[in-house]
Amino acid sequence: MSRPAPWETTVFHRPVSMRPRTAAVAVLGLLLALTAGTSSATPGARPGSAPATSVDTAPGGTTPLAGYAIRSTAEVADSPAAVSSPGYPTAGWYPAGPRSTVLAALLAAGKYADPFYSANQQKIPAADFAVPWWYRSDFSLTDTASRTYLDFSGVISAADVYVNGKQIADKGTVTGAYTQHELDVTELVKPGTNTVAFRIQPNDPKKNLTMGWIDWLQPPPDENMGIVRDVLVRRGGPVALRDAHVVTALAVPSLSSADLTVKARARNDSAAPVTATVAGTVGDVSFSQDVTLAAHETKQITFTPATHTQLRLKAPRVWWPAGMGAQPLYDLALTASVSARTSDTAHESFGIRDVKAPLNAAGARQYAINGRPLLVKGGGWSPDEYLRWDRAYVEDRLRYALDLGLNTIRLEGHIEPDEFFELADRYGMLTLPGWECCDKWEGQVNGDESGDPWTPADYPVAKASMAAEAARLRDHPSVISFLIGSDFAPDRTIEKMYVDALNAADWATPVVAAASDNSAPISGSSGMKMTGPYDWVPPSYWYNKQEGGATGFNSETSAGPDIPTLDTLRRMLSPAELDTLWKSPSAKQYHRSPSPTFATLKLYDDALTGRYGAPTGLDDYVRKAQLAQYENVRAQFEAYGRNAKDATNPATGVVYWMFNSGWTSLHWQLTDRYLDQGGAYFGAKKANEPLHIQYSYDNRAVTVVNGRPAAASGLTARVSLFSLDGARKYDRTVTGVSVGGGGASTTALTVPASVSGLSTTYLAKLVLTDGSGQEVSRNVYWLSTKPDTLDYAHTDWFHTPTTSYADLKGLASMPRAEVRTTGATTTGADGTSTTTVTVRSAGSGPAPALLTDVHLVDAKGAPVLPVRWSDNQVSLWPGESATLTATYRTADLHGSAPRLRVSGWNTPTVTVPGN
């Protein structure tokens, strides 16, 4: 945030006996390769050596190392040859998973207290990670008749690599988090136990092309040093298949056919000439060709529709983003055979879809998938702070993103492992990966921001990183661009290096110069803006077509702080910190950001007090925060949704900054670290519902926005305005409302500028019903006759000041309302349960129950998470009811019966049975 050869993406190393071992030659080898073509910490003991990973012996088999024993080099006096030899004793070493930073392993072993609580992370000595650490793993082979390779990326920041006592690569070669390496260890391995050891170097993201945390959260003391992707032991015969992929060309707009071009490299790793047959299938389509290779020769193998007409598919199964269609995937399988024996295999999944993103007349990037334009509604993605991979946790968050009506995830750096993109493919979630700002990645162009300028050694690392990520991501239909810059576009030299690598990898989707309003010589204008805000602005801000308001493509933006629920706050802050949270707006908040700009909550707290009144306690502070976050996040997405089809300067994309946080945070999150949901979550969910009625803060228009593909007609829109005592002061119904599909909108009516008898703070209820009278959208606003006033003349990079606030203090005097709740639970065979909840406003007075929240809790009162609600935080007038459903994993109840904790702005908190 603010502020290989053309055909080769892997650094491949010949057998160690053929490689001189000097740093200079290692770097030269890299250059030639480029230019030649969520778990909690639990106490644990320090075991000795873990069982060796048993390696798949089948040709083409790839086996990830199961884990490591790790220890600081400051505590290991033995030589690298000894450490990397089978049988070396590791008593006293720490266990680490197959993808683990040093600190993640130490947390799992219980060495430190929960770093997500209070300021515990500050107590972890950073000096422990200022020296290299050993990562050691054993693997077993039943034979050495096949060739053996180590294949990996994800080393942070660099490593010397040893196998069976011999060095096979040095830190000058194995450097950079994203560079891909294939080390041929055939001549070193033996039947039985073998050992690989990595001497991992300390990380500094301002000096290394790795990963950093910018201003998102307090950075981990180890700066994520470690190995965060799988290290694979790969087996094969004399001919290796590499770089297998499919280039698709879909007929648009008919979608009636698709041309497939299948490519791979065949490499002869033997010392003699060889003829191989390369055969493949895509579904029920098959193809093959022979290739003759000289000793150690590599050739490109290509199958095209011109030479293999079966690769021109009729009526292909087209991949769509969620909400626009289905997500079918195809599988490519290739086999290289020598003398009728399998030498190697390759497999790749891919989707058939077309992505275009031209600049519109206003200069904004407009994405279209399969010929259909869409408004990008996204969120910024954060992995776990310690880069711990947990597939279930990632899947839960992606389901939340879909639940919110988002269609895109932006990954600024921290580009996740393969499984992330496989899940995104499956769920239809679009992704925008790219390099991060404010560290070494933009060190050459960072202006006044931090980040060391590049040295000659950085350029080949950056190009190898781009080539490897392009090769890894190109076949995923969920990936719709790569952002080669963030706050800044790369200079000409760096851009050409990136673009050459992308082109060499057959990258087919748009290459975007920056996430900011910048351009580069080859890529041209980014078509994006990075005008913020990143801190508090009022809801009306989003409707003003200035700065971060709803025009163009805003790549990262929000009103800053997102205070989590009281349940989460009590899990993350000490009692003293909880007191400071609501009492001291100018106090530094460790759980906000390391940036001085975002160190306190003063802008946010001043607005909360100015609009809603000073908090009277922690509970009051949190409930006001949820109300404020609901209205602000809702307005952000609603404004962009309404403006998506504007005739001039339309909104084409908005990325909420951020979707989630990698730790326990007080800002930039629609869902918190524990997957609890508050006002920000349900404000986004309401704004992005498929067929939606909304109020416009700028012109009082009541608009219907249709995110469904098909048009809708025969709708009825009703708008009612109420004083806070429940008296209705305005009521209008419009029938026969029609709206087109695909994000179209229509104005049903405009609320008068002045309505007699309204209180200063008042409520607006909007209801949309279909032709049968069924309610399809309900939306309730708390508004003021006194507007928020913005001072655009003094806008800075992170916000626009507010000189006077809307008066919403009247909400504090709303009459109390009674809500009655019943629940019933059914348990499915798939391990999930669904609790159906009916909430009814049963008070005797006219006042509504505002923002009624239902939390599913266990017998101890702890939230059951994750949970997906059909709707929540609903507002009900007397006699009205709503039926909500909550779906969750039955096991997350931990054997207890479900209970429902019901609260609201003007209703008491009660807990009732959920079964």
Side-chain angles (χ1 to χ4, degrees), residues 260-442:
L260 309 184
T261 298
V262 179
K263 294 186 177 184
R265 285 182 286 112
R267 188 182 69 212
N268 180 8
D269 284 340
S270 75
V274 66
T275 296
T277 298
V278 178
T281 60
V282 173
D284 57 3
V285 173
S286 59
F287 42 89
S288 69
Q289 65 175 276
D290 292 338
V291 56
T292 299
L293 299 164
H296 303 300
E297 183 184 12
T298 299
K299 284 185 179 178
Q300 178 79 50
I301 306 299
T302 304
F303 302 90
T304 71
T307 58
H308 298 77
T309 56
Q310 62 270 39
L311 292 175
R312 178 164 289 123
L313 304 186
K314 301 298 182 183
R317 294 179 287 120
V318 177
W319 187 96
W320 291 94
M324 297 178 71
Q327 293 79 45
L329 295 174
Y330 287 82
D331 291 313
L332 166 68
L334 289 178
T335 301
S337 300
V338 177
S339 301
R341 298 183 62 180
T342 298
S343 178
D344 202 1
T345 61
H347 304 272
E348 191 78 5
S349 293
F350 66 97
I352 297 176
R353 57 91 177 95
D354 178 82
V355 180
K356 296 290 188 296
L359 303 185
N360 64 15
R365 195 167 290 276
Q366 173 67 71
Y367 279 87
I369 309 296
N370 303 328
R372 286 166 49 183
L374 82 162
L375 171 68
V376 168
K377 296 186 292 186
W381 181 266
S382 175
D384 171 75
E385 176 169 8
Y386 309 110
L387 305 185
R388 294 172 293 193
W389 175 257
D390 183 329
R391 180 187 174 93
Y393 183 55
V394 169
E395 192 165 9
D396 287 338
R397 283 182 286 164
L398 287 174
R399 286 173 172 168
Y400 268 20
L402 290 172
D403 183 54
L404 291 179
L406 304 183
N407 56 27
T408 304
I409 290 295
R410 180 182 166 211
L411 298 97
E412 184 191 3
H414 303 97
I415 305 175
E416 292 277 38
D418 295 342
E419 294 95 324
F420 175 90
F421 296 96
E422 291 166 4
L423 289 169
D425 292 345
R426 196 174 87 196
Y427 283 116
M429 179 60 66
L430 303 175
T431 63
L432 289 170
W435 305 130
E436 65 195 39
C437 85
C438 315
D439 57 17
K440 190 57 176 280
W441 283 104
E442 290 187 346

Side-chain angles (χ1 to χ4, degrees), residues 191-254:
T193 301
N194 297 269
T195 299
V196 57
F198 295 82
R199 185 163 55 192
I200 305 292
Q201 301 299 308
N203 184 38
D204 181 346
K206 290 184 175 61
K207 298 182 182 299
N208 307 119
L209 291 166
T210 55
M211 301 181 191
W213 289 100
I214 319 167
D215 47 8
W216 304 1
L217 47 72
Q218 298 293 349
D222 72 339
E223 295 286 3
N224 295 131
M225 69 182 298
I227 302 176
V228 298
R229 293 183 182 171
D230 287 339
V231 173
L232 303 175
V233 182
R234 185 188 291 271
R235 305 302 301 281
V239 173
L241 284 176
R242 299 293 185 264
D243 199 35
H245 62 286
V246 181
V247 180
T248 65
L250 176 65
V252 175
S254 70

Side-chain angles (χ1 to χ4, degrees), residues 39-47 67-72 93-112 115 124 129 133-135 222 224-228 384 386-389:
S39 306
S40 300
T42 53
R46 300 184 186 183
Y68 305 90
I70 72 169
R71 195 166 190 181
S72 169
W93 289 44
Y94 292 95
R99 307 171 186 174
S100 179
T101 66
V102 172
L103 187 50
L106 300 183
L107 290 171
K111 184 173 176 61
Y112 305 114
I124 301 173
F129 314 107
W133 278 64
W134 280 112
Y135 274 58
D222 72 339
N224 295 131
M225 69 182 298
I227 302 176
V228 298
D384 171 75
Y386 309 110
L387 305 185
R388 294 172 293 193
W389 175 257

